[in-house]
Amino acid sequence: MHAHPFGQLAYISQGVLTMVTEQGTFVIPPQQALWIPPQVAHESYCRYGGAFRSVYVNLEFCEALGDTAYTMDVDELLRAMILEVCRWPTDYDLDEPKKRFIQVFIDRVLSAPKNAFFFAHASDPRLTLIVSELHSNPSCQRTLEQWGDLVGASSRTLNRLFHKHFDMSFRDWKQKYRALRAIELLSAGLSQQAVANQLGYESSASFNHAFKKVFSQSPGHYVKQRSLRA
């Protein structure tokens, strides 16, 4: 874990970056970016490798971008602006043209659609056990009733806790988590059948159906769409 005295916008072009903060865990697929405010402790890793660039933001511009971390979609214009900033020398002069560029850049970040590639940390120990197991073994097939027997709570209580901490049911949380792990595996070059097997789906068809429910498109189309812009 470390923190910066400045803000950071991390843009992912290839692979999947996982960023752990005190708020929770962000999973950032290709063509997404993460805003990290100053002094927010974080650590990151790419399980299968990746490529990303970071834009560091001075304090005078950070207030507009907010004091909590969040992920966003990166369109062609914002992507081009990020790459342009990354070509500037570290000792560039802050002249009037660059000031105007920076203001447009900040405005573009603010207007970028936010997304929900985020999992808050669970403070309840009963949820922590479930979440930890699914992080290490996403193919786990235990039902909520079976989890209840293990952690000492009814399935109804556990589902209520999932709604309280994650604003979704256990079933929806698990489906979302598996879909995000699927992006990571697909970006690493695994076939859809291999991903389905690794995540515990009965077939590639059932994996496709579950993925579409989260991202409103097939896994193949999702990956192809982003790889074309890498």
Side-chain angles (χ1 to χ4, degrees):
M1 280 282 188
H2 64 283
H4 306 297
F6 44 79
Q8 178 182 0
L9 184 74
Y11 161 65
I12 315 306
S13 61
Q14 295 178 0
V16 175
L17 180 70
T18 300
M19 188 78 73
V20 181
T21 72
E22 294 172 346
Q23 293 172 238
T25 299
F26 294 87
V27 180
I28 310 111
Q31 312 312 326
Q32 311 287 328
L34 172 68
W35 165 243
I36 308 170
Q39 305 302 340
V40 171
H42 59 279
E43 61 179 344
S44 62
Y45 63 87
C46 290
R47 197 186 310 266
Y48 300 101
F52 73 98
R53 287 182 169 85
S54 287
V55 175
Y56 299 114
V57 182
N58 284 343
L59 290 176
E60 61 186 291
F61 302 106
C62 289
E63 184 176 355
L65 295 175
D67 58 3
T68 58
Y70 55 85
T71 54
M72 70 199 75
D73 297 332
V74 175
D75 62 10
E76 292 291 347
L77 177 56
L78 180 54
R79 174 181 180 273
M81 296 185 81
I82 291 170
L83 297 181
E84 171 62 22
V85 171
C86 289
R87 285 191 286 266
W88 293 356
T90 55
D91 57 347
Y92 67 87
D93 293 326
L94 188 59
D95 54 21
E96 287 303 317
K98 281 195 169 55
K99 286 181 181 178
R100 291 193 294 270
F101 184 97
I102 289 170
Q103 190 55 63
V104 175
F105 176 80
I106 298 297
D107 290 343
R108 196 66 190 179
V109 172
L110 289 172
S111 65
K114 308 301 183 289
N115 57 51
F117 294 170
F118 170 70
F119 292 98
H121 289 318
S123 56
D124 191 291
R126 292 166 292 186
L127 292 189
T128 301
L129 181 63
I130 299 172
V131 169
S132 296
E133 173 62 23
L134 289 170
H135 276 322
S136 60
N137 180 22
S139 65
C140 177
Q141 300 294 335
R142 287 194 186 102
T143 65
L144 204 55
E145 289 75 16
Q146 291 170 326
W147 277 117
D149 292 338
L150 284 173
V151 303
S154 68
S155 59
R156 183 175 180 180
T157 296
L158 289 179
N159 216 32
R160 178 176 55 80
L161 289 171
F162 266 90
H163 276 286
K164 177 183 177 181
H165 288 266
F166 305 124
D167 199 28
M168 64 184 76
S169 68
F170 168 72
R171 179 179 180 181
D172 289 342
W173 184 95
K174 185 176 179 180
Q175 186 175 66
K176 176 183 174 182
Y177 179 72
R178 281 180 165 180
L180 290 174
R181 286 293 295 270
I183 292 175
E184 190 175 37
L185 296 169
L186 290 166
S187 298
L190 274 70
S191 69
Q192 291 188 36
Q193 184 61 60
V195 174
N197 293 339
Q198 190 161 327
L199 296 181
Y201 289 99
E202 294 180 357
S203 64
S204 59
S206 60
F207 162 59
N208 268 269
H209 178 73
F211 190 94
K212 284 182 179 179
K213 288 191 70 174
V214 177
F215 294 111
S216 301
Q217 56 186 308
S218 69
H221 185 264
Y222 184 96
V223 172
K224 181 179 180 181
Q225 187 180 52
R226 279 149 182 78
S227 63
L228 288 174
R229 293 172 51 200

